[in-house]
Amino acid sequence: MMSRAERSHLGDWWWTVDRALLAGLGVLMTAGLVFLMAGGPPVAERLGLPTFHFLNRQVMYLLPTIALILAVSFLSLRHIRRMALVTYGLGIVLCIAATKYGPEIKGAHRWIQFGSIGVQPSEFVKPAFVILAAWAFAEGARRRDMPGGTLAVLLLPMTIVPLILQPDFGQTMLVTMVWCAMVFVAGLHWFWVGGLGGAGLIGVAAAYEFLPHVRARIQRFMDKDSGDNFQTFWSQESFNSGGWLGTGPGEGVAKRHLPDAHTDFIFSVAGEEFGVIVCVAIVLLFAFIVMRGLVLARRSDDIFCRLAITGLTALFGLQACINMAVNTRMMPAKGMTLPFISYGGSSLISLALGMGFLVALTRRRPRTTLLNRDEGLAH
């Protein structure tokens, strides 16, 4: 046990970090490995890979994930902003490059290859976007000579246009909703909130009209007989057959029919083999992390921290809600992973960056540190 009198960097970190938040993330990662043991083997066998190929890869991805969360959580507010700026700039460049040079997967160009490694740059843009938008809103509130609100407004189209070009309607919708939540917390006039809601509806209508894959997904959702509903049928069937207590580990049937049982539809696999009760526990775990983040945001005296924590928490919670809503057929398919539970390297590392930012921002800081938060920006 570390002493409070210990003045090392590790000692300061231990006594200022929110350990409940870290514990929640740790439980979530452990649950992800358990569920992947159920959902991964059928997919691996169909692809001619070793039975626990995806589980072993996930363990390998979790090592740098945990290291990144811990490393980023040591950063000061100044270094968080700088890291977010570099990540955002590089991510946007790669998003644009992916539209021209990335491989086409399911009608979209969302990935870019570096040798044998595939990266989805939009995943890294999201947490960096939240930090930069929070900084812009906060600076606009503090300084009359700083057009922070205008900067924050311009940041949204700069972010979503490359996503639309890929096209990635799901990520576009997620980023826009998170930005709207930050606008609300920043206290902008209701005129802006209403205008953003109207713009969002127009955007959905435009996507339905001009993007065939979006139209097809919405039509399949509204009318199950209008097209291929193979995955949504089996995801719903998994919950029906699992019941409250589940069929038992390894006894599920739906996962043998779901192509994305290890990624987008892993929640359905959990529902069939472990039951609705375990799924409710996972929902409560996500709710705990989100509520913990919002409570810590409310306690913060710093405008930037309050907005950034709110945005990162909303990003995490909304992504989880969208994935679970798709699995339970409450929303059209979006191709979005369940945070820290679905398989995927880009998803895990980007989540680690976002949660590392969150843990760093929620650390208890002396008031003198907050008063001098901008000292490094002038240099």
Side-chain angles (χ1 to χ4, degrees):
M1 190 68 179
M2 295 183 187
S3 169
R4 287 184 180 270
E6 185 180 343
R7 301 307 303 168
S8 66
H9 287 300
L10 185 60
D12 288 341
W13 176 86
W14 177 253
W15 290 111
T16 57
V17 77
D18 190 78
R19 295 191 287 276
L21 188 61
L22 279 178
L25 295 174
V27 173
L28 206 56
M29 294 180 202
T30 304
L33 292 179
V34 174
F35 295 158
L36 197 55
M37 265 194 284
V43 181
E45 289 170 9
R46 283 199 299 270
L47 298 175
L49 299 170
T51 303
F52 293 107
H53 169 81
F54 293 111
L55 178 65
N56 294 334
R57 291 288 294 271
Q58 189 81 339
V59 171
M60 289 175 58
Y61 290 141
L62 276 177
L63 297 178
T65 294
I66 295 169
L68 183 59
I69 291 175
L70 296 178
V72 174
S73 69
F74 278 86
L75 296 179
S76 65
L77 301 184
R78 183 181 67 220
H79 288 110
I80 288 172
R81 288 189 287 259
R82 289 181 176 177
M83 186 175 184
L85 181 60
V86 173
T87 303
Y88 179 83
L90 187 59
I92 289 295
V93 170
L94 291 177
C95 280
I96 296 171
T99 62
K100 294 183 177 295
Y101 307 110
E104 182 177 336
I105 300 175
K106 297 181 180 179
H109 299 268
R110 301 171 186 170
W111 294 79
I112 193 160
Q113 291 292 134
F114 295 98
S116 60
I117 300 174
V119 176
Q120 189 174 0
S122 61
E123 293 285 351
F124 296 90
V125 167
K126 292 185 296 185
F129 164 79
V130 169
I131 298 297
L132 294 183
W135 173 78
F137 279 129
E139 287 302 301
R142 289 192 196 108
R143 297 167 49 187
R144 293 180 179 271
D145 61 329
M146 176 71 174
T150 304
L151 242 163
V153 170
L154 292 175
L155 200 59
L156 181 63
M158 286 171 56
T159 305
I160 65 174
V161 167
L163 298 180
I164 293 171
L165 293 175
Q166 290 183 342
D168 193 339
F169 184 68
Q171 298 285 19
T172 301
M173 186 176 70
L174 177 61
V175 167
T176 304
M177 286 193 296
V178 170
W179 190 84
C180 289
M182 295 176 71
V183 167
F184 181 78
V185 174
L188 293 194
H189 196 277
W190 278 100
F191 170 80
W192 288 102
V193 178
L196 289 169
L201 292 175
I202 293 172
V204 171
Y208 180 85
E209 184 66 27
F210 298 110
L211 298 177
H213 73 285
V214 173
R215 186 189 307 118
R217 286 184 177 183
I218 294 176
Q219 287 175 344
R220 287 199 298 267
F221 175 74
M222 299 300 293
D223 180 8
K224 64 181 181 181
D225 298 323
S226 64
D228 181 14
N229 282 282
F230 185 78
Q231 293 216 105
T232 54
F233 168 78
W234 281 108
S235 66
Q236 191 171 16
E237 187 64 24
S238 65
F239 289 102
N240 294 335
S241 60
W244 286 101
L245 300 177
T247 58
E251 300 298 322
V253 174
K255 64 184 180 182
R256 305 191 181 280
H257 301 275
L258 287 168
D260 299 323
H262 61 316
T263 54
D264 299 351
F265 287 91
I266 196 167
F267 191 65
S268 298
V269 175
E272 181 175 25
E273 299 199 359
F274 299 96
V276 173
I277 290 178
V278 170
C279 287
V280 170
I282 292 298
V283 172
L284 292 176
L285 180 57
F286 276 111
F288 167 76
I289 294 171
V290 169
M291 293 305 298
R292 185 65 183 169
L294 294 177
V295 167
L296 293 171
R298 187 179 178 183
R299 290 179 185 172
S300 178
D301 295 324
D302 183 70
I303 301 173
F304 165 70
C305 286
R306 187 160 60 246
L307 287 170
I309 292 169
T310 301
L312 291 169
T313 304
L315 179 66
F316 179 82
L318 285 171
Q319 181 169 333
C321 286
I322 290 171
N323 177 277
M324 292 185 285
V326 168
N327 275 253
T328 53
R329 211 179 180 279
M330 296 173 67
M331 284 183 68
K334 286 285 179 293
M336 201 168 290
T337 58
L338 188 59
F340 291 118
I341 290 183
S342 296
Y343 169 82
S346 284
S347 175
L348 276 179
I349 300 300
S350 67
L351 283 164
L353 179 65
M355 291 301 100
F357 285 152
L358 181 62
V359 174
L361 290 163
T362 54
R363 286 177 60 188
R364 293 184 295 277
R365 288 180 171 84
R367 186 172 294 274
T368 53
T369 301
L370 296 177
L371 291 174
N372 297 319
R373 59 187 172 260
D374 299 318
E375 180 183 344
L377 292 177
H379 299 289

